[in-house]
Amino acid sequence: FCLESSELETSLSGWIKVEAPEMMGKLGKMEIKEGSPQYYFFQNSVTRKDQKGYQNIAIITLPNLPNGRVAIGGIAFDADYLRDQFFPDALNRLLAQDIGEPSGNKNGENEAVMMVHMRKENAPLAVSKGWDGGMPEVERNFEDGFPGLTLAIKFKGTTIEAMSHKFIMTSFLIIGCLSVFLTAGILLTYRNVYREMSLAKLKSDFVANVSHELRTPLALIRLYAETLEMGRLSTQEKYQEYFRIIRKESERLSGLINNILDFSRIEAGRKEYNFRPTDLGELVRNTLDAYRFQIEQNGFDYQENIATDLPSVQVDREAIARSLLNLVNNAIKYSQKEKFLGVNLFRDNGALKLEVIDHGIGIPRSEQSKIFEKFYRAGDPLVHNTKGSGMGLSLVRHIAQAHGGRVWVESTPGHGSKFSMTLPVNSTPREEGVNPA
Ligand code: ADP
């Protein structure tokens, strides 16, 4: 620094004589304007170890000199001091004030950092603590004290562009999520309303169907009983036929009422099953014995295949008989032209499999799982001309599940259906099947 100063002195003494009037003029004008002795700085560049350093030099007038005398003083600041001490200290002190930590951010994120650089160079001359390189966000040129220097500021680790990009992305994400929630909410509401409406319709159809189903056998029973009461029938066969009709209709009635009672117990979670070791072949045979004559009289080709030596299974006899009757009744109800009814019982993979087969109207694939839902009746017009309440198959499914088994259908519209129900041989029936649910 001393060497630089003496070089400066030598060069100054060369050109000061030429420059002095202009310098004095400038300082004089400033003094008149501001009212006290003035100074100004100019920039000087020094080279140390092949590196250019920034130095500023203050030019001052010296006050209180005898009349007529003119003196100019100069103060040069050491380039290393400016770079290594003065600027870093000044920048750090500045940042330690409010601007270092934007309000609401106490974890050091988005902290401001500063640097100074020479106006014509982008590389920093001095930096504040935490300066992490990159392009500054805002720059201002120093006016008086440090001519040729620029002060620059930015956020640590990020840029305003990145921050606004992040903000926009976050906003989009929030709006996107809200839209998804909103759409999901609307869909869910729509689905619930649609379900409620379908259920309300199913219920009203059910009430209409059940009332119709109850009324028909009752009207027939009443009609035939009144005719019998009058005692005007000519032959014994007529009497027998009327008695048979009354029996058949009352059986239908009690079947329907049993279905309704079972259904309401299941819905209320109060259905109890009485599981006992049972010879299922015998149960199937006995249940259908009472119907065989009636089935064949209705013009059905009836085939029964019950395997011998079947193991005994734990079942609720009444519930299994009711399931079988529901399946058989459906096979009869939904067979129009080709009248065939097959009932098979055999052992299949650790379970007993009961099949009820018809060659009737069949069920479209899209409806095959829905028919096991309560009150559901297929859309076929033939179904709607047939009496029914839509409870039978939902009961069958519940009973099969309570026994640890399952029920399903394979069907081709126009060619018939095969309902299969499995009942495991060595299983403990489901808890909710034994106790009230
Ligand atoms: P439903 O009282 O209407 O017969 P179910 O629960 O027993 O009630 O049957 C539900 C629906 O399944 C029926 O309405 C019918 O559309 C269809 N279905 C049941 N069994 C058969 C079958 N064997 N053939 C054709 N369709 C059937």
Side-chain angles (χ1 to χ4, degrees):
F1 179 57
C2 290
L3 201 69
E4 279 166 15
S5 302
S6 63
E7 274 172 16
L8 190 64
E9 241 177 82
T10 322
S11 82
L12 271 176
S13 58
W15 55 261
I16 195 80
K17 289 190 189 87
V18 187
E19 296 279 325
E22 198 189 319
M23 285 172 153
M24 287 308 298
K26 190 172 172 180
L27 288 165
K29 270 189 211 155
M30 286 167 81
E31 197 169 327
I32 292 165
K33 203 169 158 202
E34 305 289 336
S36 59
Q38 289 299 313
Y39 58 87
Y40 71 87
F41 286 89
F42 68 88
Q43 172 188 0
N44 187 35
S45 161
V46 290
T47 308
R48 290 188 189 174
K49 290 185 196 153
D50 292 337
Q51 268 202 327
K52 273 198 164 180
Y54 174 86
Q55 187 176 51
N56 61 346
I57 296 167
I59 297 294
I60 53 171
T61 48
L62 298 181
N64 307 326
L65 290 174
N67 268 353
R69 283 210 62 185
V70 174
I72 298 172
I75 303 169
F77 290 88
D78 177 15
D80 286 353
Y81 163 76
L82 286 179
R83 188 190 62 219
D84 300 336
Q85 212 172 316
F86 178 80
F87 283 124
D89 280 359
L91 295 179
N92 288 335
R93 231 175 305 137
L94 193 59
L95 287 172
Q97 293 169 16
D98 265 358
I99 64 156
E101 207 159 358
S103 56
N105 180 10
K106 300 285 171 212
N107 54 8
E109 201 185 301
N110 299 347
E111 193 185 327
V113 285
M114 290 174 117
M115 66 110 156
V116 285
H117 66 91
M118 289 201 257
R119 209 164 290 173
K120 287 183 186 135
E121 285 178 28
N122 287 331
L125 175 73
V127 299
S128 72
K129 254 191 278 167
W131 176 263
D132 58 347
M135 290 299 289
E137 297 293 346
V138 182
E139 290 189 326
R140 289 285 180 276
N141 292 333
F142 283 109
E143 291 300 335
D144 296 330
F146 305 102
L149 279 194
T150 301
L151 178 67
I153 189 163
K154 70 183 276 283
F155 285 116
K156 186 178 169 182
T158 185
T159 62
I160 289 183
E161 199 188 340
M163 283 164 71
S164 68
H165 184 72
K166 191 174 159 194
F167 176 75
I168 291 171
M169 291 308 286
T170 318
S171 308
F172 269 126
L173 205 73
I174 292 170
I175 292 172
C177 287
L178 285 179
S179 310
V180 169
F181 283 136
L182 212 67
T183 317
I186 291 171
L187 286 178
L188 221 66
T189 314
Y190 175 78
R191 209 183 77 159
N192 284 350
V193 170
Y194 180 79
R195 267 199 186 171
E196 287 298 317
M197 280 168 65
S198 320
L199 203 64
K201 186 178 176 305
L202 280 176
K203 278 184 182 163
S204 75
D205 286 356
F206 166 75
V207 172
N209 287 335
V210 167
S211 332
H212 182 74
E213 276 215 70
L214 287 174
R215 222 180 294 128
T216 320
L218 276 177
L220 283 175
I221 291 169
R222 192 168 154 195
L223 176 76
Y224 285 98
E226 278 172 5
T227 317
L228 285 170
E229 201 176 25
M230 280 189 262
R232 293 217 198 113
L233 294 178
S234 48
T235 59
Q236 190 59 30
E237 284 87 61
K238 278 261 178 232
Y239 275 102
Q240 286 307 318
E241 191 192 337
Y242 280 26
F243 284 136
R244 197 175 46 76
I245 292 171
I246 289 175
R247 184 182 50 80
K248 208 182 83 182
E249 290 304 316
S250 53
E251 271 170 14
R252 193 144 79 91
L253 204 56
S254 62
L256 180 68
I257 288 168
N258 280 337
N259 264 358
I260 297 173
L261 288 178
D262 256 10
F263 183 79
S264 68
R265 277 191 209 115
I266 287 171
E267 283 294 294
R270 279 190 287 107
K271 173 75 185 161
E272 281 182 64
Y273 292 95
N274 181 13
F275 295 100
R276 274 183 296 156
T278 305
D279 176 348
L280 207 60
E282 195 190 312
L283 177 69
V284 171
R285 222 174 281 118
N286 287 347
T287 310
L288 293 178
D289 266 353
Y291 287 84
R292 193 169 293 115
F293 173 70
Q294 193 188 328
I295 293 168
E296 282 167 349
Q297 233 193 8
N298 278 342
F300 273 85
D301 172 11
Y302 177 62
Q303 286 181 14
E304 191 177 273
N305 263 311
I306 297 175
T308 49
D309 294 340
L310 291 175
S312 123
V313 278
Q314 290 274 357
V315 297
D316 179 314
R317 294 178 194 182
E318 207 186 313
I320 295 296
R322 187 158 308 139
S323 304
L324 177 61
L325 285 182
N326 268 308
L327 293 176
V328 167
N329 271 333
N330 279 349
I332 295 171
K333 271 198 306 190
Y334 302 115
S335 290
Q336 293 277 310
K337 292 175 203 137
E338 206 176 323
K339 299 194 168 189
F340 171 85
L341 174 66
V343 175
N344 302 329
L345 179 68
F346 53 95
R347 196 175 177 148
D348 181 53
N349 274 340
L352 294 193
K353 192 172 187 183
L354 178 65
E355 292 177 345
V356 177
I357 303 163
D358 66 63
H359 292 171
I361 59 172
I363 305 148
R365 181 169 278 275
S366 59
E367 294 189 292
Q368 286 178 11
S369 59
K370 293 187 193 157
I371 56 171
F372 293 96
E373 287 167 16
K374 59 187 174 192
F375 310 143
Y376 190 87
R377 307 198 73 212
D380 192 316
L382 273 173
V383 171
H384 285 269
N385 293 333
T386 313
K387 288 172 210 152
S389 56
M391 274 185 310
L393 288 182
S394 85
L395 271 180
V396 175
R397 182 170 68 173
H398 191 277
I399 290 169
Q401 288 174 348
H403 283 76
R406 62 190 197 100
V407 60
W408 69 97
V409 66
E410 292 151 76
S411 179
T412 316
H415 290 92
S417 317
K418 178 163 93 179
F419 283 83
S420 309
M421 177 166 155
T422 53
L423 297 168
V425 176
N426 298 318
S427 86
T428 354
R430 263 179 33 182
E431 276 299 302
E432 65 262 44
V434 188
N435 304 313

